[in-house]
Amino acid sequence: MAKQQDEQEFPVYLFTGFLESGKTKFIKETLADPKFNAGEKTLLVVCEEGIEEYEEDQPYMENVTVVTYNDPSEMTEERLRAKAKRSGAERMIVEYNGMWMLDRLYSALPDGWLVYQEILFAEAGTFLNYNANMRSLVYDKLKSCELVVFNRADEKNLDKQAFHKIVRAVSR
């Protein structure tokens, strides 16, 4: 019985953050890394389009099927399951829109689809403003992530304590 449960497990790698925080670049570098991508069929769910784009002609995209959702209501359990089945995917990577609440995604994941890793990306120059003006969205992304990556940080003008205080208040 336990073996059957393991066979149904479907890994999900979740990358959250606000626009221009570095999610796409990190995902591209991850897919290009042979330690992560040894040819497994991957469903890449993209929930926002920024400046950085996926070049589907790149070698690391050979076994990747890209699906774009422009509205969180489009992402349903039935659609995700159908896209995964059609692509033959063995795992899913999600580039999640920072303006969408995570509960929406979690409720759409089929049984057995487990978030193996959740990373939040934040542009250091805008993070404190996002937290001051859209605290519920920042909290939503911090509450379940395992790692926060602050990009484009100016070491001289960065108040590390302010960042640390926000992250620690939400995530231990």
Side-chain angles (χ1 to χ4, degrees):
M1 188 83 160
K3 185 172 172 64
Q4 185 180 16
Q5 175 66 21
D6 289 342
E7 290 173 353
Q8 293 175 357
E9 210 171 272
F10 189 79
V12 177
Y13 298 90
L14 177 57
F15 301 94
T16 66
F18 299 100
L19 196 60
E20 303 309 319
S21 61
K23 298 182 302 291
T24 305
K25 184 173 183 181
F26 184 85
I27 293 169
K28 287 167 51 173
E29 290 172 357
T30 300
L31 285 170
D33 185 344
K35 292 177 186 168
F36 180 81
N37 189 359
E40 297 89 346
K41 291 189 182 256
T42 303
L43 179 63
L44 173 57
V45 174
V46 180
C47 300
E48 69 180 1
E49 295 179 42
I51 294 172
E52 192 88 22
E53 295 183 6
Y54 295 98
E55 299 92 16
E56 295 192 34
D57 61 340
Q58 292 297 311
Y60 61 82
M61 294 293 287
E62 187 175 313
N63 293 313
V64 177
T65 301
V66 180
V67 176
T68 303
Y69 290 110
N70 295 310
D71 187 278
S73 65
E74 297 173 343
M75 195 179 322
T76 64
E77 180 178 339
E78 296 78 25
R79 287 181 178 159
L80 288 172
R81 192 182 300 279
K83 297 284 185 187
K85 185 174 183 177
R86 200 171 306 126
S87 67
E90 302 166 60
R91 64 185 177 183
M92 180 170 74
I93 295 174
V94 181
E95 181 179 348
Y96 202 66
N97 187 322
M99 303 306 280
W100 299 355
M101 299 302 275
L102 279 170
D103 290 345
R104 198 88 194 229
L105 171 67
Y106 279 106
S107 66
L109 293 178
D111 288 340
W113 290 35
L114 304 175
V115 176
Y116 275 25
Q117 190 168 41
E118 182 179 336
I119 301 175
L120 167 62
F121 289 85
E123 201 263 304
T126 60
F127 180 74
L128 296 176
N129 285 334
Y130 274 109
N131 187 60
N133 297 307
M134 296 185 288
R135 184 162 289 143
S136 63
L137 288 171
V138 172
Y139 177 86
D140 180 64
K141 306 310 173 283
L142 281 170
K143 70 181 179 187
S144 55
C145 72
E146 299 166 56
L147 175 68
V148 181
V149 176
F150 291 105
N151 284 318
R152 302 177 196 101
D154 177 7
E155 284 291 320
K156 291 185 286 184
N157 300 320
L158 182 71
D159 181 2
K160 291 180 187 177
Q161 281 304 110
F163 288 76
H164 182 76
K165 185 178 175 182
I166 294 166
V167 173
R168 291 293 287 180
V170 178
S171 175
R172 294 315 237 163

